[in-house]
Amino acid sequence: MFENLFRLDGKVAVVTGAANGLGRSFALGLSAFGATVICADRNLDGADETASLAKQSRGKAEPALVDVADETSVDAMWTKIAESHGRIDILINNAGINTNSMRTHEYSVADWDRLMAINLRGVFLNTRKGLALMLPGPGSIINVASILGLRGFWPGSPAGSISYSASKAGVIGFTRQVAAEYAVEKIRSNAIAPGWHGGTALGAERRAAASAEEIKTFEQAIHARIPMKHRGVPDDLVGLVVYLASDASHYMTGQVIAHDGGWDGAVA
Ligand SMILES: NC(=O)c1ccc[n+]([C@@H]2O[C@H](COP(=O)([O-])OP(=O)(O)OC[C@H]3O[C@@H](n4cnc5c(N)ncnc54)[C@H](O)[C@@H]3O)[C@@H](O)[C@H]2O)c1
């Protein structure tokens, strides 16, 4: 009776930021459970590689070029998706960046604008188009927030930028409003709030600007703060994403789920 609860056969999914990191794991996970996955990224080679990996495992996947911050680029991608698939069932708004991190009074307006355009505006641009292809429903939207959208963190050295935290808190508000607006059509909107998951390119700008000593201090600070005492890896999030994408979570919307080795749930 329950054996197909998590299956996604026949469903069409769009994953933004699918060329690398978390997005690649999400795309491979959804395709392993039967979805046809559109791997969208501004890095087309990486998106193509993700789609090839899915196909090597007998999944159905295709790459798509998009700059999520650019309305023309987003519209062009969704026009193609509408032409080739006609509808979608699942959207994961995953593409995101962090910038070089400094304290708020030193943080540049240009970095604020650049990050917000991708992390928050990009979620809006893709969701409005995705919703149009999900209606009349049902559907599942999964937005990738962060524990930094739930709580502040300043371990005495740069960890995340003020714009990053603000964008991820914005993603959470966005998630809840969409949930309220579209619940009647059974289009669900949930957010995941990952803690630190290693092996991705996020934070590359910060790491490039930091000294070896600062990176060591940062690593020690976050490991000390995580109750499980280690970081996650992108594949750890696949089960949660498949759950939220599938009918197993059909009565759940408007929620934010931290996935963080206990970061948000315990005092370290
Ligand atoms: N890694 C973590 O620990 C962690 C924790 C919390 C939240 N997140 C969030 O997870 C998401 C994925 O991060 P990641 O760690 O896998 O980083 P990553 O840098 O490895 O992957 C991000 C992907 O997004 C793509 N991308 C960036 N800007 C884009 C744009 N304008 N248009 C299209 N694609 C774009 C990149 O090309 C890349 O493939 C981000 O939203 C990030 O904020 C990550």
Side-chain angles (χ1 to χ4, degrees):
M1 181 183 169
F2 297 122
E3 56 271 22
N4 292 324
L5 201 53
F6 296 90
R7 291 299 308 179
L8 302 171
D9 306 281
K11 294 191 190 285
V12 179
V14 176
V15 180
T16 69
N20 198 57
L22 271 50
R24 174 169 286 180
S25 290
F26 299 159
L28 296 180
L30 296 183
S31 86
F33 277 77
T36 297
V37 184
I38 296 154
C39 306
D41 206 290
R42 66 179 173 188
N43 169 3
L44 187 58
D45 287 345
D48 194 39
E49 199 174 288
T50 301
S52 299
L53 287 168
K55 285 187 270 189
Q56 279 165 29
S57 303
R58 301 182 180 208
K60 297 189 209 82
E62 60 194 69
L65 178 65
V66 72
D67 177 349
V68 297
D70 182 81
E71 187 182 355
T72 308
S73 169
V74 170
D75 287 0
M77 177 184 78
W78 283 98
T79 299
K80 278 191 203 154
I81 293 171
E83 283 165 5
S84 49
H85 296 281
R87 58 165 236 290
I88 69 155
D89 305 282
I90 299 157
L91 168 62
I92 306 189
N93 282 306
N94 164 74
I97 61 165
N98 203 346
T99 63
N100 191 3
S101 308
M102 41 244 309
R103 293 176 72 198
T104 301
H105 68 286
E106 297 163 327
Y107 193 67
S108 80
V109 176
D111 277 345
W112 173 279
D113 289 344
R114 179 166 64 95
L115 183 144
M116 283 292 175
I118 295 171
N119 289 19
L120 196 49
R121 187 171 189 268
V123 172
F124 167 60
L125 292 179
N126 283 285
T127 302
R128 65 194 282 276
K129 288 289 172 181
L131 280 167
L133 284 192
M134 278 182 188
L135 285 167
S140 175
I141 298 171
I142 303 165
N143 296 320
V144 182
S146 165
I147 50 167
L148 293 177
L150 298 171
R151 317 246 172 254
F153 181 55
W154 180 257
S157 62
S161 56
I162 184 66
S163 56
Y164 188 81
S165 299
S167 74
K168 295 304 187 182
V171 164
I172 291 168
F174 185 97
T175 301
R176 291 183 169 140
Q177 181 59 27
V178 170
E181 284 184 33
Y182 294 90
V184 71
E185 280 106 354
K186 309 281 190 293
I187 296 176
R188 301 179 295 106
S189 169
N190 292 290
I192 61 172
W196 263 272
H197 289 70
T200 82
L202 193 75
E205 285 185 48
R206 174 181 53 74
R207 287 192 291 275
S211 67
E213 191 54 37
E214 283 170 331
I215 290 173
K216 195 171 150 208
T217 306
F218 170 76
E219 299 278 334
Q220 285 171 343
I222 63 163
H223 285 120
R225 172 71 181 77
I226 300 169
M228 286 190 182
K229 301 298 172 206
H230 66 88
R231 281 195 267 198
V233 295
D235 284 354
D236 292 342
L237 284 154
V238 168
L240 175 57
V241 160
V242 169
Y243 167 67
L244 291 174
S246 71
D247 291 343
S249 60
H250 72 95
Y251 197 52
M252 181 174 164
T253 193
Q255 295 305 305
V256 183
I257 303 173
H259 183 279
D260 59 4
W263 179 287
D264 189 55
V267 178

